Amino acid sequence: MRLFAAIDPSPDAVARLAAVADGVRDDVLRWSDPAGWHLTLAFYGEVGADQVDELTQRLTRVARRHPATRARIAGAGRFGRTVLWAGIDGDGAALRALAGSASAAGRRTGVGTDDRQRFRPHVTLARARGRDGADLRPYVARLESYTGPWWDADAVTLFRSRPGGPGHGPRYEPLARFALTGRR
């Protein structure tokens, strides 16, 4: 099963961003469902059923070591010509440390994480259709001034990613939730 660890934005943060994104949404891009918006901390890829318990135990320990923090969705950007995203504003050092620990939990469990790319906290809004991508600069320009409400990033969720049907993105199923209870 394909697994990843993430933080869910608050329902209010998602609703407000969705209202703004609706004003930008078109058929040029494949827009992700707001119900699935999340801040990925670590992507584990294919994880065997026999490894899920160990990964869960390690993420429980990670959550006990890291404190909750405040965050908000703010700004926008792109990864090349393929991915449009909204940024995450808040304690970047705390989020990077949490992402690093979530990745390490995967490595120690023996499941893959891609640590080659620098952690950039974001919520994926849309992907370009087709291999050549799209000019995402106009979308970034329309969304870069967005600033959403602050919310408590107080838990990590282990998600299972299930492929969607034709024309539909993946579906995310929460498997376990870990409260961030570390001290500041």
Side-chain angles (χ1 to χ4, degrees):
M1 65 187 85
R2 291 173 62 86
L3 302 182
F4 64 93
I7 295 175
D8 286 320
S10 73
D12 183 45
V14 169
R16 290 189 192 195
L17 178 59
V20 172
D22 281 346
V24 178
R25 186 180 301 261
D26 61 20
D27 292 334
V28 174
L29 302 179
R30 189 177 66 232
W31 293 83
S32 59
D33 181 357
W37 286 346
H38 59 271
L39 162 59
T40 299
L41 298 170
F43 179 74
Y44 304 118
E46 290 298 325
V47 176
D50 59 327
Q51 296 171 301
V52 174
D53 283 343
E54 181 181 353
L55 180 59
T56 300
Q57 291 170 11
R58 290 186 182 281
L59 287 173
T60 298
R61 289 195 293 271
V62 165
R64 277 189 245 151
R65 289 194 317 264
H66 290 272
T69 188
R70 301 277 291 157
R72 67 180 172 183
I73 300 171
R78 61 189 171 97
F79 295 130
R81 294 177 53 85
T82 58
V83 175
L84 174 67
W85 50 263
I88 301 291
D89 189 16
D91 186 342
L95 291 173
R96 278 189 301 281
L98 179 57
S101 293
S103 291
R107 280 192 309 277
R108 290 183 181 113
T109 302
V111 295
T113 61
D114 186 359
D115 291 332
R116 293 173 295 185
Q117 294 187 357
R118 182 175 62 93
F119 175 69
R120 180 176 296 173
H122 70 279
V123 172
T124 299
L125 300 178
R127 296 182 184 279
R129 298 178 190 272
R131 297 176 85 140
D132 296 329
D135 183 3
L136 301 177
R137 291 175 296 182
Y139 300 95
V140 172
R142 291 181 65 191
L143 294 169
E144 67 188 351
S145 64
Y146 176 78
T147 301
W150 288 99
W151 43 275
D152 292 323
D154 58 3
V156 172
T157 302
L158 179 63
F159 283 99
R160 179 177 187 177
S161 178
R162 295 182 180 267
H168 298 284
R171 292 172 296 134
Y172 305 124
E173 172 189 341
L175 298 181
R177 186 171 166 86
F178 313 95
L180 296 171
T181 58
R183 292 183 176 209
R184 288 202 171 270

